[in-house]
Amino acid sequence: MRNYNFSAGPAALPVPVLEQVAREMLELPGAGASIMEISHRSKKFEEVIAHAENGIRSLLGLPEEFHVLFLQGGASLQFAMAPMNMLAGSKKADYIITGAWGQKAIKDAQKYGAARVAATTKESNFSRLPESLDLDSGAEFVHFTSNETIQGVQWPQEPQTNGVPLICDASSDILSRPIDVAKYGLIYAGAQKNIGPSGVTVVILRDDLLQKCASDLPPMLDYRVQVDNKSLYNTPNTFGVYVIGLVCDYLQSQGGLAGMQARNEEKARLLYDAIDSTDFYTGHAASNCRSRMNVTWRLPSEELEKRFIEEAKAQGMVELKGHRSVGGLRASIYNAFPREGVVALVEFMKEFERKTG
Amino acid sequence: MRNYNFSAGPAALPVPVLEQVAREMLELPGAGASIMEISHRSKKFEEVIAHAENGIRSLLGLPEEFHVLFLQGGASLQFAMAPMNMLAGSKKADYIITGAWGQKAIKDAQKYGAARVAATTKESNFSRLPESLDLDSGAEFVHFTSNETIQGVQWPQEPQTNGVPLICDASSDILSRPIDVAKYGLIYAGAQKNIGPSGVTVVILRDDLLQKCASDLPPMLDYRVQVDNKSLYNTPNTFGVYVIGLVCDYLQSQGGLAGMQARNEEKARLLYDAIDSTDFYTGHAASNCRSRMNVTWRLPSEELEKRFIEEAKAQGMVELKGHRSVGGLRASIYNAFPREGVVALVEFMKEFERKTG
């Protein structure tokens, strides 16, 4: 039996996508072989990667000036790759730190250039957004993390940067809602939360930023090489790219990003309403930046939290334990997580409070 | 209908493995979710990655002093990562160049340290092995490419280095035959030819070399960080690791690496015998270094080669076109390529010569 899987990532995928992958595993239609067995230089794979790219372009409404790449190494490799490409020489960048991933991003960036903290909410244990930003108008870019998976803190809209391009680690909310792409110079995201399996990194890069990138980097770490070769400098994660294309079709069938936003907001509201309706549960994130993807909350004691996790698991609701740095509970409810799973959790929360509260 | 798929990579996988992947796609036994949906920090994935690691250890007979990692970025990223870790300071390395991949490897290495050509067979269009090596006894390592996929040139056994550890790009012959692991300090290989899907890189690193690695590299590019975190510094290609584990089981069931060697040698012999039995076909590689993985040969004219490829394709034998730098034909017959496909190709070769020769 399939569980309600609240994993923070790799996370739930749409069942129709999994069914199609299973059906096509021995023979991708028209290929005479599994998607895992065909050359990345074949016509068939050209179709597969174009399908995935077009899916992302269409969902986000990306203009031609953006390149779409399918790389490897996750956001963690982009933490180094973005500044290697964009901060060589004496260039400067501002980083806004609202959680654990932003902290990792700036640490790598400081190896490659003048990366500076424009704001941090560390003193609140990353439970809120910064009240103001100390921005350098000479910065090449402003980096932010649109959704901090561990803390459950999400920007309701982009930070204001007076025209300096945003670089966004969108690993945990990409394709979960419409965004204003004109504000972005670079968006990168590991696929494994909202749009596919782990092992593929989607990189969306505006051409004017590409033109200013460093050269003479190792080819795998050089955005120019990756763009010039359309993600095929070496063998990409062909299976992962295929799954992303199927997930994009699924998202389109659900009303595109506006449809996903409505569904994701409703799922999150059900959970936050349950948290807010009682003092038994306490949300971690401030209400103006509560994540629609990762809902984080506490119970009155660690003992009760442990019992909650165990009893929920016994009812097929798994992966609810919060990250150790925040504690408590975390329910990750990305794109593919079903509404009925949220309803089941809310029922369980009420019953658990009745029994123990 | 499944074709006979002679792709140089991503390449044929064992049918029983594909069938198991399809069967378990919606629900990995005991997980309540797809392998793509479970956390890389879950107990279930710990089992999956341990299974893949133990499979590789057992097949190769790896002693404890070797670490086994599952990284991303393919051999192409290892071209940079290995020297970043191992040549920092004023360390030196020798590279033996027997084809296109070796050329790429040294180009990246020279960005990070004193990487020197100990031998090259470029003047023969990489059709043979070097007659002698100009080795520096002070080198940290000697790098070689055990099988050059494009040219179809394979080392029948390791080059002699007087005790200097070998670093091997084994992307296109890993787990295709037994090797003398004691000679190696580092083996790296993209999985997509012999042991799994693309998007996972297997890295096998001896502990004494790890201890001499540079520090303060970006964590994703730092062997120490990857070893300390047992490949889980960030989210690995979880699906790819799972498939590698299943392929290892399959290889074990076929008699392990000795069994694979016997099968692979027989497949290659059938093809080389067909090439040698007539002047109509001409092998590219010298007979003492003919690859058991990629058989490269020419026909009397490019026109005939084109016709050969088209007519073979019409009979369900696909991906036979050689790389443009060598021309002609290439049949890649890795671990999972079935003997009956080789027999079918040999029959076709005879018939094609009879018709056109």
Side-chain angles (χ1 to χ4, degrees):
Chain A
M1 200 198 66
R2 278 175 61 86
N3 291 322
Y4 286 129
N5 172 19
F6 292 93
S7 174
L13 285 167
V15 170
V17 167
L18 294 174
E19 287 170 342
Q20 185 171 350
V21 172
R23 220 161 43 230
E24 298 179 348
M25 183 49 64
L26 270 87
E27 202 177 330
L28 183 68
S34 174
I35 173 65
M36 291 193 277
E37 299 176 305
I38 63 173
S39 169
H40 57 300
R41 312 255 178 236
S42 65
K43 284 221 165 50
K44 188 71 200 174
F45 187 71
E46 275 176 28
E47 288 170 33
V48 168
I49 197 167
H51 181 76
E53 176 178 338
N54 292 336
I56 289 170
R57 284 192 178 279
S58 157
L59 286 164
L60 281 172
L62 284 182
E64 275 300 309
E65 63 183 325
F66 285 92
H67 305 284
V68 177
L69 300 172
F70 299 98
L71 305 183
Q72 298 181 54
S76 294
L77 188 55
Q78 294 304 308
F79 294 162
M81 190 166 165
M84 284 170 85
N85 279 269
M86 294 186 177
L87 291 185
S90 51
K91 295 179 184 169
K92 299 177 293 181
D94 282 340
Y95 277 66
I96 305 173
I97 317 294
T98 54
W101 295 108
Q103 285 182 304
K104 286 196 177 184
I106 193 169
K107 196 171 167 196
D108 270 16
Q110 286 171 338
K111 295 189 205 296
Y112 296 102
R116 177 180 157 277
V117 177
T120 174
T121 56
K122 192 177 177 202
E123 85 299 339
S124 73
N125 196 21
F126 298 122
S127 63
R128 59 177 189 79
L129 295 179
E131 278 153 33
S132 63
L133 304 176
D134 171 26
L135 294 175
D136 177 347
S137 60
E140 291 294 313
F141 61 80
V142 176
H143 183 284
F144 79 114
T145 313
S146 49
N147 182 65
E148 283 281 359
T149 322
I150 289 175
Q151 286 80 14
V153 165
Q154 187 176 26
W155 288 79
Q157 62 272 318
E158 292 81 8
Q160 297 289 337
T161 63
N162 305 315
V164 177
L166 285 169
I167 293 193
C168 179
D169 173 4
S171 293
S172 52
D173 66 359
I174 189 166
L175 302 192
S176 71
R177 59 178 179 180
I179 58 168
D180 181 0
V181 292
K183 293 177 176 167
Y184 294 83
L186 170 66
I187 301 170
Y188 59 85
Q192 67 271 15
K193 298 176 194 289
N194 273 301
I195 60 173
S198 60
V200 201
T201 323
V202 173
V203 173
I204 298 166
L205 176 56
R206 211 169 69 197
D207 191 65
D208 60 325
L209 272 80
L210 177 70
Q211 297 310 326
K212 294 194 284 179
C213 279
S215 50
D216 206 34
L217 294 168
M220 285 296 292
L221 301 174
D222 186 325
Y223 285 136
R224 288 174 202 271
V225 171
Q226 297 288 3
V227 167
D228 288 348
N229 289 278
K230 298 177 181 296
S231 307
L232 300 176
Y233 172 76
N234 77 336
T235 319
N237 179 337
T238 52
F239 175 78
V241 171
Y242 155 75
V243 177
I244 289 176
L246 300 185
V247 171
C248 286
D249 291 345
Y250 171 82
L251 298 180
Q252 206 63 270
S253 78
Q254 302 296 301
L257 299 194
M260 292 319 298
Q261 180 173 41
R263 285 159 203 265
N264 288 327
E265 289 195 346
E266 200 217 342
K267 289 185 289 179
R269 192 173 54 244
L270 288 169
L271 265 177
Y272 288 117
D273 283 353
I275 291 167
D276 291 343
S277 66
T278 164
D279 291 338
F280 186 73
Y281 298 115
T282 312
H284 174 74
S287 58
N288 70 340
C289 60
R290 283 171 155 181
S291 170
R292 272 69 178 144
M293 301 279 103
N294 314 95
V295 177
T296 50
W297 76 102
R298 305 296 309 250
L299 268 66
S301 72
E302 290 189 12
E303 204 187 332
L304 280 168
E305 288 168 349
K306 203 176 152 190
R307 188 171 154 193
F308 184 103
I309 291 162
E310 280 167 10
E311 292 188 8
K313 188 174 174 184
Q315 296 191 28
M317 290 178 272
V318 302
E319 298 280 352
L320 281 165
K321 192 179 176 188
H323 190 273
R324 64 184 177 282
S325 61
V326 175
L329 286 294
R330 173 172 55 171
S332 295
I333 49 172
Y334 302 114
N335 276 344
F337 190 89
R339 183 184 186 278
E340 58 268 29
V342 174
V343 170
L345 177 58
V346 167
E347 286 304 308
F348 176 83
M349 287 168 76
K350 287 183 182 157
E351 174 63 15
F352 188 83
E353 181 185 359
R354 200 192 53 73
K355 257 191 338 198
T356 64
Chain B
M1 199 200 65
R2 279 175 60 85
N3 291 323
Y4 286 128
N5 173 20
F6 292 93
S7 173
L13 286 167
V15 171
V17 168
L18 294 173
E19 287 171 341
Q20 184 171 351
V21 172
R23 220 162 42 230
E24 298 180 346
M25 182 51 62
L26 270 87
E27 203 178 329
L28 183 68
S34 174
I35 173 66
M36 292 193 277
E37 300 177 304
I38 63 173
S39 169
H40 57 300
R41 312 255 179 234
S42 64
K43 283 219 165 52
K44 187 72 199 176
F45 187 70
E46 275 176 28
E47 287 171 32
V48 168
I49 197 168
H51 182 76
E53 176 178 338
N54 291 337
I56 289 171
R57 283 191 180 280
S58 157
L59 286 165
L60 282 172
L62 283 183
E64 275 301 307
E65 62 183 323
F66 285 92
H67 305 283
V68 177
L69 299 172
F70 299 97
L71 305 184
Q72 298 182 53
S76 294
L77 188 56
Q78 294 305 307
F79 293 163
M81 190 164 165
M84 285 170 86
N85 278 270
M86 293 186 177
L87 290 185
S90 49
K91 295 178 183 169
K92 301 178 290 182
D94 282 340
Y95 278 66
I96 305 173
I97 318 294
T98 54
W101 294 108
Q103 285 183 305
K104 287 196 175 184
I106 194 170
K107 197 170 168 199
D108 271 17
Q110 286 171 337
K111 296 191 203 296
Y112 297 102
R116 178 178 155 277
V117 176
T120 175
T121 55
K122 192 178 176 200
E123 86 298 337
S124 74
N125 197 21
F126 298 121
S127 64
R128 57 175 190 82
L129 295 180
E131 277 154 34
S132 62
L133 305 177
D134 171 25
L135 295 175
D136 177 347
S137 61
E140 291 293 313
F141 59 80
V142 177
H143 183 283
F144 79 115
T145 313
S146 49
N147 182 65
E148 282 282 359
T149 323
I150 289 175
Q151 286 80 13
V153 165
Q154 186 175 29
W155 289 79
Q157 62 272 318
E158 293 81 8
Q160 296 289 339
T161 63
N162 304 316
V164 177
L166 285 169
I167 292 192
C168 179
D169 173 3
S171 293
S172 52
D173 67 357
I174 189 168
L175 302 192
S176 72
R177 60 180 178 178
I179 58 169
D180 181 359
V181 293
K183 293 178 177 166
Y184 294 83
L186 169 66
I187 301 169
Y188 58 85
Q192 68 270 17
K193 298 176 195 288
N194 272 301
I195 60 172
S198 61
V200 201
T201 324
V202 173
V203 173
I204 298 166
L205 177 56
R206 211 170 67 198
D207 191 65
D208 60 324
L209 273 78
L210 176 70
Q211 297 311 325
K212 293 194 283 180
C213 279
S215 50
D216 207 35
L217 295 168
M220 285 297 292
L221 302 174
D222 187 325
Y223 285 136
R224 286 173 204 273
V225 170
Q226 297 288 4
V227 167
D228 288 347
N229 289 278
K230 297 177 181 296
S231 307
L232 301 175
Y233 172 76
N234 77 337
T235 318
N237 180 338
T238 52
F239 175 77
V241 171
Y242 156 76
V243 177
I244 289 175
L246 300 185
V247 171
C248 287
D249 290 345
Y250 171 82
L251 299 181
Q252 206 62 270
S253 78
Q254 302 297 302
L257 300 193
M260 292 320 297
Q261 180 173 39
R263 285 159 204 266
N264 288 327
E265 288 194 349
E266 198 215 344
K267 288 186 290 180
R269 191 175 53 245
L270 288 169
L271 264 175
Y272 288 118
D273 282 353
I275 290 167
D276 291 343
S277 67
T278 164
D279 291 338
F280 187 72
Y281 299 115
T282 313
H284 174 74
S287 58
N288 70 341
C289 60
R290 283 170 156 183
S291 171
R292 271 68 178 147
M293 302 278 103
N294 314 96
V295 177
T296 49
W297 76 102
R298 305 296 310 248
L299 267 64
S301 73
E302 290 189 11
E303 204 186 334
L304 280 170
E305 289 169 347
K306 206 177 151 191
R307 187 171 156 195
F308 184 102
I309 291 162
E310 280 166 9
E311 294 188 8
K313 188 176 175 184
Q315 296 190 27
M317 289 177 272
V318 302
E319 300 279 354
L320 281 163
K321 190 177 177 191
H323 190 275
R324 66 184 176 282
S325 61
V326 176
L329 285 298
R330 173 172 55 170
S332 296
I333 48 171
Y334 302 114
N335 276 344
F337 190 89
R339 183 184 186 281
E340 57 267 30
V342 174
V343 171
L345 177 59
V346 167
E347 285 306 307
F348 177 84
M349 287 168 74
K350 288 184 182 158
E351 174 62 15
F352 188 85
E353 181 184 358
R354 197 194 52 75
K355 259 193 335 200
T356 66

